[in-house]
Amino acid sequence: MGVTMSDFTTSTAPADVVRRQYLASATGDLEALRTTLAPDVEWTEMAGFPLAGTYRTPAGVTANVMEKLAAGWDDWIVHDDTYVVDGEKVVVLARYTATNKATGKPINVRVAHHFVVRGGRIVRFEQFVDTAKVRDAMTP
């Protein structure tokens, strides 16, 4: 029996929760994105990345990460292509593409994301990315 979209939208399986987060981000639906995050979420953007730091609460994550990316970049997209699932841990190999609004320079960079999902919500996120390529696109 196949999985229907309604099953996917309510599934608490870790990979499904992570995929819903990416889809919400891609469509700019921050309200839907916040529903994938636990109230005590810890979201870490890598040292050297323009938004480096650890953010807490769903509102804190969307305000300090997604909204700032949208303000500084055109068409920021995470192309999630490979999922590796080990219980509550989900590692996603992906690619960022975007164009920096200030410089007009594009990025196309590989990235790895590590999620921990419990009770149908993301409790922890850690980003791994070539920060030099992102910063190069931000430098005139």
Side-chain angles (χ1 to χ4, degrees):
M1 179 151 127
V3 174
T4 67
M5 191 56 173
S6 63
D7 294 335
F8 168 77
T9 60
T10 59
S11 170
T12 59
D16 289 342
V17 174
V18 169
R19 181 70 179 137
R20 278 199 306 276
Q21 177 271 148
Y22 284 125
L23 290 171
S25 179
T27 60
D29 187 346
L30 298 185
E31 185 176 330
L33 193 151
R34 285 188 288 269
T35 68
T36 67
L37 305 176
D40 60 347
V41 64
E42 288 187 6
W43 187 281
T44 302
E45 298 286 312
M46 188 169 174
F49 190 70
L51 305 175
T54 298
Y55 305 98
R56 291 173 174 80
T57 77
V61 170
T62 54
N64 290 294
V65 179
M66 291 74 184
E67 290 178 21
K68 288 185 177 177
L69 288 173
W73 299 83
D74 284 322
D75 303 318
W76 184 277
I77 299 172
V78 181
H79 307 269
D80 51 322
D81 54 49
T82 303
Y83 283 64
V84 180
V85 181
D86 179 13
E88 66 184 12
K89 298 174 187 157
V90 181
V91 173
V92 180
L93 303 179
R95 179 174 301 282
Y96 291 155
T97 60
T99 302
N100 186 267
K101 288 182 180 183
T103 65
K105 292 181 182 179
I107 59 165
N108 185 336
V109 62
R110 291 294 283 164
V111 61
H113 290 160
H114 177 242
F115 294 88
V116 178
V117 180
R118 286 191 195 118
R121 298 276 177 98
I122 296 165
V123 296
R124 218 163 35 247
F125 166 87
E126 187 175 6
Q127 170 203 56
F128 300 90
V129 62
D130 184 343
T131 57
K133 288 189 176 189
V134 177
R135 289 196 173 275
D136 285 350
M138 299 172 69
T139 305

